[in-house]
Amino acid sequence: MEENTPLDREVALDPELLGRAFENLLAAYNPETRETARKATGSYYTPRQVVDYMVREALTEALAARTRPADGDAAFWRERLQYLLDPSDAMDDAEELFDEGERRAVVAAVADIRTLDPAAGSGAFPMGVLQALTLALRRLDPDNALWEEFQRERAKARAGEAFDTEDRARRDDALREISGTFEKYRQSDFGRKLYLIQNGIFGVDVQPVACQIAKLRFFISLVIEQDADPGAPNLGIKPLPNLETRFAAADTLIGLRADAGGLLHHDGVAAKRREIAAVRERYFLADSRRKKLDCMDEETRLRGQLRDILDRERETWAAARERDIERRAEELPKPDDRKRFRKGELAKLADRLRAYDAALADARGVAEWDPYDQNGRADWFDAEHMFGVSGGFDVVIGNPPYIQLQKDGGLLGRRYRSAGYETFTRTGDIYQLFYERGCGLLKPGTGTLAYITSNSWLKAEYGKPLRRWIAERHTPLRLIEMGKDVFDAIVDTGVLLVREGGEAARFPAVDMDRLDGGAFPPPERRWGEARPREEAPWSVLSPVEWRVLDKMNAKGTPLKDWDVRINRGVLTGYNEAFIIDDDTRDALIAEDPRSGEIVKPILRGRDIRRWRARWAGKWLIDTHNGYGEESDRVPPVDVADYPAVKRHLDRFLPQLQRRQDKGKTPYNLRNCAYHEDFGEEKLFWMDLTDRGRFAYDSSETFAANTGYILVGGPSKFLCSVLNSRLATWFMDNAAMTSGMGVTRWINTTVSRIPVSNPPPEEQHRFICLVDRILAAKDADPDADTTAEEAEIDRLVFELYGLDGQEISAVEGTIPS
């Protein structure tokens, strides 16, 4: 691009700049909602390095599925295909790696590949696909001879499908256009990019502004490939293509009803849709405003005809069934029978008409969709109608948005709950639905999906449906857990490649946070593997670490299957009223000594330390609903019996009345069936921690809802195992992390820790060590007990039969 400056110098506009511009547009702060548009839409720009890797891996899979090597060496064939797509390799020819037949096969495959980004944003992934395939063509076919041949064949085929014999002139114009392109740009990437965009690269986004920026990005990519000719009209610059039918503003997650698809494939309807598709193809290369307007006017006319055909078919369908009902009724001998028959059959027909009309509404939506409306957005997506792609895509790739379905009062959850997603869960995230939708858009058996998303679903409870769905239906190929350094967002991310169909087996995987830096992606020798097991968490481990996990599962019993009870701490609904300090407690007792009967010590999450909690002088006003069995039930607390406490709570009465979590009266805590467990021998632990933080307690002490309690079993023995480095290692690989990167020790994950259950005499060694630690901590909360803890770690390793290499693997990832 030339810029008129005093220096008259050329300036290069990096297309990635548009991606950053798009993200910054969405980052504008909205003072009314107090959040950025980027946060509201879950949109984040993916760095080029990540895009290049994902594109290269997905396209390698697509090309390998479409081609075969002459020598039959599939592994080396993939290496050669990787070379074609890798911009880091400086070589620009492939003569030594591919024979003539292989070159022709790969160029043909490139011509046929269809890719889709279902959440295109600023177009980073479609642009990555364009660059990678352009590079492959340049290396395989430097003079564009094969590429031109395939484009001419495609133009003839398209003409045969879309035009009748009277439109031969249009076919000839298309062929002359191809010849002219390659005559001028024989050694250029212009023809490669132009026909790649026309035939195989598509994007969808729910935001029209995203589609506009993506199109601008593609325009720039084509502009820089053209050479100006001062003596030619328009400087010899070919008009850029019209990309309205390559990037669509639509809701990818909503498809058409299946029965609507049936209506759209009726003979008359299908023929009219083919005419519309032909107009859109002409529009792509329309090189004047007049031609564009002619195409748009013609499509408007055809879409009107399509609506009319759909309405007439509905009338014909209904009339035919009414005639059939009348014919069968007339065959009945008695008038009453004929009357009852008509009434029953017409009622059934009314139900069928309602279903037909629902499908017709979708079909009419297809007829009304205007791809040329730059500010419009369809509330549905259909690849065949919008892009002319049937049979699925070879590659679905992208960075779907991250938005919790229960956000904004469950707005998105309500929108997609009835959309037919097997992976839907109310507490999940929208990107989970994009996985299911993306796989559904793939070519059966060979299509490849590549997404970068939050990796929480790999281990979180809400990710179970998606883990099960992928494990049962598809073949995971590679997983990279990226950590937090990819986006300016507090979220751990992961890259997953999946092939459509098959079933899950162990596959290569790597956790970048566990590597000591280095290149992205890391060399194969540094990769581990993942073993998807349907609903179980998907962990990324080395072979040695998998041996550790296998031994833990073989020798241990999940904690939930022990004779224990695990529950969360007390949820008050309004801590400011129910959790008080020493001074407030003393004042209540001074005013009414009976107040002490219902004021109990309570621990917050931050008060729970390893081995022994450090109580901070906080108290719970325990105005419960009553608890226990009917035979010896503890009666509910009537706050009227404790006037000082009532006066204290009355200060917060409006808040207590409005709170969700409350008991039988605004003064009572919510019902707690395990209330009496807080008076038993127990373990406390906190949620957010980088190491197991279990504290033994045998007094009547409560925990707030930021902590958990475990009651039952050999408490001190369990305390030793759960505080061990091995238990922390298990949680680091099985639990999801918080936004701050700290492991979440939530009930559902802790309950899966496999704890070995040795005989009581063997447990005694652990219990003695715990007693020594507790005595030391009681005497001095900061006492050094590293020697005892190291001995517990040694005994735990011995308990599970770990060898030296396995112990080193655990100790290498868990700090002392």
Side-chain angles (χ1 to χ4, degrees):
M1 300 175 65
E2 292 186 356
E3 183 179 68
N4 293 322
T5 68
L7 298 178
D8 194 27
R9 62 185 179 186
E10 290 189 354
V11 293
L13 178 59
D14 182 354
E16 187 164 1
L17 175 63
L18 290 171
R20 293 297 183 188
F22 167 68
E23 188 178 30
N24 289 334
L25 282 172
L26 294 177
Y29 182 72
N30 185 333
E32 295 179 0
T33 62
R34 298 187 178 182
E35 65 178 14
T36 66
R38 178 176 67 182
K39 183 177 179 182
T41 59
S43 305
Y44 293 93
Y45 180 72
T46 313
R48 178 178 294 173
Q49 184 183 29
V50 178
V51 171
D52 288 345
Y53 170 76
M54 292 170 61
V55 165
R56 188 164 62 249
E57 292 296 312
L59 290 178
T60 297
E61 293 295 329
L63 291 173
R66 284 182 169 271
T67 58
R68 294 291 181 273
D71 60 6
D73 188 338
F76 185 46
W77 183 243
R78 285 180 175 274
E79 289 183 24
R80 289 190 278 166
L81 295 175
Q82 285 268 6
Y83 153 77
L84 281 179
L85 301 164
D86 188 354
S88 66
D89 197 310
M91 296 180 65
D92 273 344
D93 68 86
E95 294 179 0
E96 297 181 5
L97 287 177
F98 297 87
D99 65 27
E100 181 64 25
E102 291 172 337
R103 287 176 56 239
R104 175 174 285 274
V106 176
V107 173
V110 170
D112 286 337
I113 281 179
R114 303 289 177 269
T115 67
L116 173 73
D117 186 340
S122 64
F125 285 97
M127 179 58 64
V129 169
L130 177 66
Q131 291 169 335
L133 292 179
T134 299
L135 175 64
L137 290 173
R138 185 191 310 134
R139 288 172 169 170
L140 286 167
D141 185 28
D143 62 357
N144 273 317
L146 288 174
W147 189 239
E148 179 182 6
E149 175 187 332
F150 285 121
Q151 297 318 307
R152 294 178 67 83
E153 292 176 359
R154 181 174 297 281
K156 292 177 183 177
R158 184 183 292 120
E161 293 170 358
F163 308 137
D164 58 31
T165 54
E166 296 178 359
D167 291 314
R168 185 170 298 168
R170 289 177 178 168
R171 181 199 63 184
D172 293 341
D173 286 345
L175 294 175
R176 279 193 293 270
E177 177 73 24
I178 292 170
S179 297
T181 296
F182 288 106
E183 181 179 346
K184 181 171 184 179
Y185 296 104
R186 173 61 57 190
Q187 308 293 327
S188 166
D189 282 340
F190 179 77
R192 298 181 181 109
K193 289 183 176 181
L194 178 64
Y195 295 109
L196 283 169
I197 295 169
Q198 181 178 10
N199 297 316
I201 299 175
F202 304 94
V204 187
D205 200 280
V206 75
Q207 301 175 88
V209 65
C211 296
Q212 297 291 70
I213 293 177
K215 288 188 290 185
L216 177 58
R217 196 169 186 166
F218 273 71
F219 288 146
I220 292 172
S221 180
L222 284 169
V223 165
I224 62 177
E225 301 298 343
Q226 298 200 55
D227 299 320
D229 180 358
N234 198 39
L235 297 178
I237 299 297
K238 291 178 65 65
L240 295 172
N242 307 295
L243 303 182
E244 285 82 354
T245 54
R246 297 306 181 267
F247 290 91
D251 187 340
T252 309
L253 295 178
I254 300 292
L256 298 176
R257 291 179 177 86
D259 42 5
L263 296 180
L264 291 168
H265 284 89
H266 287 178
D267 290 344
V269 174
K272 193 59 62 178
R273 290 178 65 208
R274 285 194 296 271
E275 292 183 57
I276 293 173
V279 171
R280 291 175 183 170
E281 285 304 316
R282 293 203 306 275
Y283 180 85
F284 180 84
L285 290 175
D287 58 4
S288 71
R289 179 64 176 164
R290 181 69 265 161
K291 289 181 180 179
K292 291 172 65 174
L293 289 174
D294 287 345
C295 289
M296 294 165 68
D297 290 343
E298 185 175 358
E299 178 169 334
T300 299
R301 177 179 60 81
L302 291 172
R303 286 194 280 110
Q305 293 174 355
L306 178 57
R307 287 194 297 272
D308 292 342
I309 293 172
L310 288 168
D311 290 342
R312 285 198 303 271
E313 290 202 352
R314 194 269 190 197
E315 294 172 4
T316 301
W317 182 88
R321 276 142 189 83
E322 289 174 355
R323 287 195 300 270
D324 181 64
I325 291 171
E326 185 61 28
R327 178 186 58 79
R328 287 186 291 155
E330 288 300 321
E331 293 175 355
L332 298 174
K334 298 179 179 180
D336 287 347
D337 291 343
R338 290 196 293 271
K339 183 178 180 180
R340 280 194 299 271
F341 177 81
R342 287 190 185 96
K343 183 178 180 181
E345 291 301 307
L346 287 173
K348 294 177 185 177
L349 178 59
D351 290 338
R352 295 179 66 188
L353 277 172
R354 279 191 288 272
Y356 190 108
D357 287 341
L360 180 62
D362 273 13
R364 285 183 63 93
V366 168
E368 292 165 0
W369 178 63
D370 181 2
Y372 315 112
D373 180 358
Q374 301 302 295
N375 297 311
R377 182 184 78 188
D379 59 3
W380 52 273
F381 170 67
D382 181 74
E384 183 176 0
H385 182 73
M386 290 180 169
F387 298 143
V389 175
S390 58
F393 292 89
D394 297 275
V395 171
V396 172
I397 188 169
N399 173 15
Y402 313 163
I403 313 173
Q404 293 179 344
L405 295 176
Q406 57 188 348
K407 186 179 179 182
D408 296 331
L411 181 65
L412 287 177
R414 291 191 297 274
R415 175 169 176 76
Y416 299 118
R417 181 174 51 204
S418 302
Y421 284 100
E422 295 182 43
T423 59
F424 179 90
T425 178
R426 183 180 55 81
T427 57
D429 198 289
I430 195 172
Y431 69 79
Q432 295 174 256
L433 306 184
F434 270 94
Y435 270 108
E436 184 173 343
R437 177 64 161 150
C439 287
L441 291 167
L442 289 172
K443 186 169 294 183
T446 60
T448 300
L449 177 141
Y451 278 172
I452 179 168
T453 68
S454 164
N455 66 2
S456 297
W457 70 276
L458 296 170
K459 295 173 183 175
E461 189 73 10
Y462 66 75
K464 274 186 177 182
L466 179 58
R467 293 197 297 269
R468 180 178 61 247
W469 186 81
I470 290 180
E472 292 176 348
R473 308 280 188 86
H474 303 289
T475 307
L477 301 174
R478 270 174 293 291
L479 170 64
I480 301 181
E481 294 210 52
M482 303 286 295
K484 290 186 178 59
D485 296 332
V486 180
F487 306 113
D488 297 328
I490 304 177
V491 59
D492 281 339
T493 56
V495 173
L496 179 68
L497 271 76
V498 177
R499 182 186 301 122
E500 200 282 336
E503 59 183 3
R506 60 181 65 183
F507 62 95
V510 65
D511 184 346
M512 298 292 290
D513 277 348
R514 300 176 64 187
L515 302 180
D516 54 353
F520 170 83
E524 289 187 8
R525 61 183 172 78
R526 306 194 70 184
W527 284 57
E529 65 179 28
R531 299 179 186 176
R533 289 178 285 191
E534 298 185 357
E535 296 185 0
W538 289 12
S539 299
V540 177
L541 303 174
S542 67
V544 174
E545 291 171 318
W546 277 112
R547 293 206 309 267
V548 174
L549 188 59
D550 289 342
K551 286 185 176 181
M552 290 186 72
N553 287 324
K555 292 182 175 292
T557 300
L559 188 60
K560 63 183 176 61
D561 295 331
W562 283 61
D563 185 18
V564 297
R565 299 185 299 279
I566 299 176
N567 288 291
R568 191 157 201 153
V570 175
L571 185 63
T572 70
Y574 198 70
N575 285 350
E576 290 84 348
F578 287 98
I579 297 180
I580 60 177
D581 57 19
D582 281 331
D583 291 342
T584 304
R585 172 185 178 270
D586 292 345
L588 292 176
I589 293 176
E591 186 178 346
D592 176 11
R594 289 194 61 197
S595 299
E597 297 174 6
I598 58 170
V599 177
K600 311 290 177 62
I602 188 170
L603 300 169
R604 302 162 300 176
R606 74 191 80 167
D607 303 328
I608 301 172
R609 307 299 176 90
R610 287 166 57 78
W611 311 109
R612 191 67 97 185
R614 294 189 185 182
W615 181 56
K618 298 296 182 181
W619 302 85
L620 173 71
I621 296 178
D622 185 24
T623 49
H624 55 74
N625 288 344
Y627 59 89
E629 299 295 334
E630 290 298 330
S631 58
D632 57 346
R633 183 172 179 79
V634 175
V637 172
D638 185 349
V639 75
D641 295 334
Y642 304 91
V645 171
K646 184 177 184 301
R647 278 190 290 274
H648 165 79
L649 294 177
D650 279 338
R651 294 165 48 205
F652 307 96
L653 189 57
Q655 296 94 321
L656 299 185
Q657 290 173 325
R658 289 195 302 267
R659 78 193 203 274
Q660 295 282 332
D661 297 288
K662 60 186 175 184
K664 294 178 179 177
T665 76
Y667 300 100
N668 283 24
L669 302 173
R670 63 182 292 182
N671 189 51
C672 183
Y674 52 92
H675 186 283
E676 57 193 331
D677 285 352
F678 291 102
E680 303 290 328
E681 182 184 29
K682 58 193 167 295
L683 299 181
F684 292 113
W685 84 87
M686 69 174 296
D687 179 349
L688 296 172
T689 176
D690 57 352
R691 282 208 63 179
R693 193 179 293 198
F694 289 81
Y696 174 82
D697 184 86
S698 58
S699 64
E700 186 182 26
T701 301
F702 287 76
N705 65 308
T706 51
Y708 292 89
I709 65 165
L710 181 152
V711 178
S715 296
K716 290 181 179 178
F717 169 73
L718 291 175
C719 188
S720 68
V721 175
L722 296 173
N723 272 334
S724 71
R725 297 174 77 177
L726 185 59
T728 295
W729 176 88
F730 176 90
M731 289 294 293
D732 277 356
N733 290 289
M736 64 178 180
T737 57
S738 71
M740 298 173 289
V742 182
T743 303
R744 296 289 311 275
W745 290 67
I746 60 176
N747 177 11
T748 53
T749 314
V750 170
S751 65
R752 292 199 300 263
I753 298 176
V755 180
S756 181
N757 190 4
E761 59 272 16
E762 192 171 341
Q763 293 182 18
H764 183 69
R765 294 188 295 166
F766 295 84
I767 294 170
C768 287
L769 288 165
V770 171
D771 283 337
R772 284 163 54 184
I773 293 172
L774 294 176
K777 297 294 184 183
D778 288 341
D780 177 5
D782 295 317
D784 182 1
T785 58
T786 53
E788 289 83 0
E789 294 183 43
E791 178 63 11
I792 286 175
D793 285 334
R794 186 189 69 78
L795 291 177
V796 170
F797 291 143
E798 181 182 293
L799 193 63
Y800 290 93
L802 303 192
D803 61 29
Q805 187 182 28
E806 294 158 355
I807 292 172
S808 296
V810 173
E811 292 183 331
T813 58
I814 304 301
S816 299

